[in-house]
Amino acid sequence: QAMRTPSRNEAGLELLMEYYNQLYFFDSRFFPPNKNLGVFFHWYDSLTGVPSHQRALAFEKGSVLFNIGALHTQIGARQDRASLPGLNQAIDAFQKAAGAFNYLKENFSNAPSLDMSAASLNMLVRLMVAQVQECVFEKTTLLSAQHDFLARLQLAQEAARVEDVYSLVHQTMTQAHVKDYVPFSWTTMVHVKSEHFKALSHYFAAIALCDCPVASDAELPEQEKAFIQFHVTMPEGPSLRLLLQDPEERRKLGKAHLKKAIMKHEEAMRIHGLCKILRKMDILQEVLSFAHKRSLSKYSEIDHEEDFFETGDAPDIHSKTHQKPEIKSPSFSQVKVTDIFHRLGPLSVFSAKNKWYPARRVHLMRGENGFGFTLRGDSPVLIAGVIPGGCAAEAGLKEGDYIISVNGKDCKWSKHAEVVQLLKSTGEEGVEIGVITLQGSEGLKAVDKKAAAMSSGAGLLKSNKENNRKSLMNSKSASTLLVWSKKSKRSKKSAYGVPFTAVGDNDAMY
């Protein structure tokens, strides 16, 4: 119930992670690999509100993972991006959101809802990356020196990179499978940002050329090197050296960049005006209007009445970033949980993949030669051999039985030595042992086969990558999902006990 409405902060994320990790134990414990349990999981798509339900735990896991990504986006959007710490936190949050959506995309198949379709998730990953890139641009703006030529060029290239990524998102949003899913206001906003940042890239190019001092002989080589990689195609006119050292030539090219900036600002405002929802967002209107007026003001400032030349077309700016976005996958192992069904016994034995006969209670009296059986392993201890005609055989104990209790004390997690001690401490009244038998593993041969298979059990469990992504839920439903679960470092309390570990007193008779 708590995870349905998590708080919009780190505590909420931790809660979702805990629930996700608990589902891993739940899946292994109760859901057999070859059939579905009749448990329906209901979810609603985040953008369309369309309900979906499936009898697959993978669907529940996927939905929780989607919410982890969504929560990261909300945390990112709430940061104060006017400060450096706020920008860094926003970058981290959006990168983690991209990681959650990307992880979901890579581990899910045939999703029943639009939210979790590969096309939608691909769009969301790109949208998160674009927001990271926008934050990187804002960070560069915050840190760059006001009248430094190279710093202004860097800002122009960062803005061009933001335009690139938003153009890609817009292209993704207008594809057939995503178009009907994404709200028109989202698509419009992304288109507006694409045009807005293209305008900003030309504006900062103009500022670099018109406001920054002409290069000295010492600065010229570095500025030439930066400027030669600045435009997608080299601007027409004088040589690079002359362009950088002649204020008039710089003004001409700056004016061409400003002309392009103004055109792009106007296009951003036009697209913004097409969407009713965006028109109501006063702050967005203010940002677009401010940027447009700033470019117009600069243009009129550098426009001379005696200009007889026709302002040329400025080449596009080569996009470049100094901080490439990183897609950060969820780190489930950071949140430790204890299996809430821990008391049922070690998951490696007491799980849905095994079938059991009903538990039996056996009363044993100690004979002259002891109880007449050999024990092996830990958690739970296994009866490895029963002497024909002995007390254990007469009481009905069999090879392959697991001891789950001794005189009412639960022994599912008990070590070999602990069970032996309990048996040795029995008096003349004898001992009551609770045992269960695994179906299909009666007889020592079956036990030994399993021992061989399980000898590297711990390694197998750890390498069980996402519970084997290739194994499909054997469901009759058309929309089958990949069965997948987290890789985790297990806490000591829920450590996997391998039932057939070799012990020193392996064949000791009791």
Side-chain angles (χ1 to χ4, degrees):
Q1 189 62 31
M3 77 88 209
R4 287 174 67 169
T5 51
S7 53
R8 269 61 172 160
N9 53 22
E10 289 297 325
L13 281 169
E14 194 166 308
L15 177 69
L16 289 179
M17 286 283 210
E18 273 187 44
Y19 180 68
Y20 184 93
N21 287 355
Q22 203 59 256
L23 288 175
Y24 165 74
F25 291 118
F26 190 70
D27 193 12
S28 306
R29 182 79 75 185
F30 298 113
F31 283 69
N34 58 343
K35 64 178 181 180
N36 280 341
L37 285 186
V39 182
F40 273 102
F41 296 100
H42 293 260
W43 286 90
Y44 296 85
D45 266 15
S46 60
L47 295 181
T48 62
V50 174
S52 298
H53 62 269
Q54 269 218 342
R55 284 196 313 190
L57 199 68
F59 177 51
E60 177 81 345
K61 285 183 188 172
S63 300
V64 173
L65 193 54
F66 185 94
N67 279 2
I68 288 171
L71 205 50
H72 276 303
T73 71
Q74 292 180 4
I75 290 169
R78 292 173 75 178
Q79 301 306 318
D80 173 18
R81 280 157 62 168
S83 70
L84 202 56
L87 277 167
N88 286 330
Q89 284 167 346
I91 287 170
D92 184 58
F94 289 129
Q95 287 184 151
K96 284 176 177 172
F101 294 132
N102 195 54
Y103 186 88
L104 191 50
K105 185 185 78 171
E106 288 179 351
N107 290 282
F108 240 83
S109 174
N110 302 323
S113 74
L114 274 169
D115 266 353
M116 290 188 278
S117 68
S120 297
L121 290 169
N122 188 44
M123 179 274 293
L124 288 171
V125 171
R126 287 177 174 178
L127 180 59
M128 296 308 117
V129 168
Q131 289 182 105
V132 173
Q133 203 69 70
E134 189 177 346
C135 290
V136 170
F137 167 78
E138 289 171 4
K139 191 175 167 183
T140 312
T141 311
L142 213 60
L143 296 172
S144 67
Q146 196 70 26
H147 293 292
D148 179 74
F149 180 74
L150 294 176
R152 299 290 103 180
L153 291 189
Q154 188 190 10
L155 262 180
Q157 291 191 297
E158 288 285 358
R161 174 53 66 95
V162 181
E163 185 255 327
D164 275 359
V165 288
Y166 273 119
S167 290
L168 181 62
V169 177
H170 184 252
Q171 190 184 317
T172 315
M173 281 182 172
T174 49
Q175 284 173 353
H177 296 295
V178 187
K179 197 176 179 181
D180 299 330
Y181 165 70
V182 180
F184 179 63
S185 58
W186 281 36
T187 314
T188 311
M189 172 73 98
V190 165
H191 197 181
V192 165
K193 285 197 175 191
S194 167
E195 297 294 338
H196 175 69
F197 281 99
K198 180 135 187 165
L200 289 184
S201 72
H202 286 288
Y203 170 77
F204 283 112
I207 293 297
L209 290 160
C210 300
D211 284 10
C212 298
V214 173
S216 65
D217 289 339
E219 293 169 330
L220 196 61
E222 195 182 358
Q223 290 197 7
E224 270 189 299
K225 188 182 172 187
F227 208 70
I228 204 163
Q229 299 170 338
F230 183 68
H231 290 104
V232 175
T233 54
M234 282 304 289
E236 293 173 10
S239 68
L240 198 61
R241 186 170 285 259
L242 180 62
L243 177 66
L244 288 171
Q245 290 193 308
D246 184 341
E248 182 55 26
E249 289 298 336
R250 285 171 70 131
R251 186 182 72 83
K252 279 185 187 177
L253 183 57
K255 193 174 170 184
H257 275 297
L258 276 174
K259 185 182 169 186
K260 207 159 188 176
I262 291 162
M263 284 166 59
K264 287 293 166 186
H265 282 310
E266 285 168 357
E267 181 63 5
M269 291 165 82
R270 185 190 70 79
I271 296 161
H272 169 263
L274 297 175
C275 179
K276 193 177 176 181
I277 294 172
L278 293 192
R279 284 202 303 269
K280 291 177 183 173
M281 294 171 70
D282 294 342
I283 193 162
L284 181 60
Q285 181 76 52
E286 282 172 31
V287 169
L288 297 175
S289 186
F290 168 78
H292 179 235
K293 282 174 186 167
R294 186 176 61 175
S295 292
L296 275 175
S297 167
K298 193 70 200 167
Y299 188 85
S300 59
E301 186 188 309
I302 66 165
D303 185 28
H304 295 170
E305 284 181 15
E306 65 272 16
D307 278 351
F308 295 111
F309 67 88
E310 193 176 318
T311 309
D313 192 25
D316 278 337
I317 291 146
H318 185 70
S319 71
K320 190 179 176 184
T321 183
H322 75 288
Q323 186 179 335
K324 203 173 175 187
E326 183 189 340
I327 293 173
K328 292 185 177 179
S329 290
S331 179
F332 300 110
S333 58
Q334 282 183 347
V335 180
K336 303 289 181 198
V337 294
T338 304
D339 178 8
I340 55 175
F341 297 100
H342 177 265
R343 284 187 299 163
L344 292 178
L347 198 54
S348 54
V349 176
F350 300 98
S351 68
K353 68 174 187 264
N354 294 327
K355 287 185 177 180
W356 303 92
Y357 290 111
R360 314 192 311 278
R361 290 187 184 279
V362 176
H363 193 81
L364 278 182
M365 302 294 289
R366 193 195 298 273
E368 289 177 17
N369 298 320
F371 293 116
F373 56 58
T374 57
L375 299 180
R376 176 185 296 170
D378 295 321
S379 312
V381 173
L382 175 82
I383 294 175
V386 176
I387 296 175
C391 302
E394 284 178 14
L397 286 180
K398 301 170 192 166
E399 293 169 355
D401 282 349
Y402 286 95
I403 296 176
I404 57 169
S405 68
V406 176
N407 280 339
K409 180 177 168 55
D410 193 303
C411 294
K412 295 188 199 80
W413 285 96
S414 298
K415 300 286 183 197
H416 187 102
E418 291 167 8
V419 173
V420 170
Q421 191 56 44
L422 285 170
L423 292 170
K424 282 181 176 175
S425 62
T426 57
E428 291 179 4
E429 71 281 2
V431 63
E432 190 175 75
I433 302 175
V435 292
I436 53 169
T437 310
L438 193 62
Q439 286 186 24
S441 69
E442 300 91 331
L444 199 55
K445 280 184 185 176
V447 169
D448 284 344
K449 273 182 194 171
K450 192 159 188 194
M454 291 294 285
S455 61
S456 58
L460 283 170
L461 287 161
K462 282 174 188 169
S463 67
N464 184 6
K465 236 183 183 178
E466 287 310 313
N467 205 8
N468 189 353
R469 294 173 185 168
K470 289 178 185 172
S471 67
L472 280 167
M473 285 289 274
N474 189 12
S475 163
K476 290 175 187 173
S477 156
S479 51
T480 51
L481 293 176
L482 278 176
V483 186
W484 52 279
S485 52
K486 73 172 192 62
K487 283 187 283 187
S488 74
K489 293 176 185 172
R490 285 131 194 146
S491 61
K492 286 180 184 174
K493 285 185 180 175
S494 58
Y496 279 44
V498 182
F500 302 102
T501 47
V503 288
D505 50 356
N506 189 24
D507 294 311
M509 181 67 68
Y510 302 105

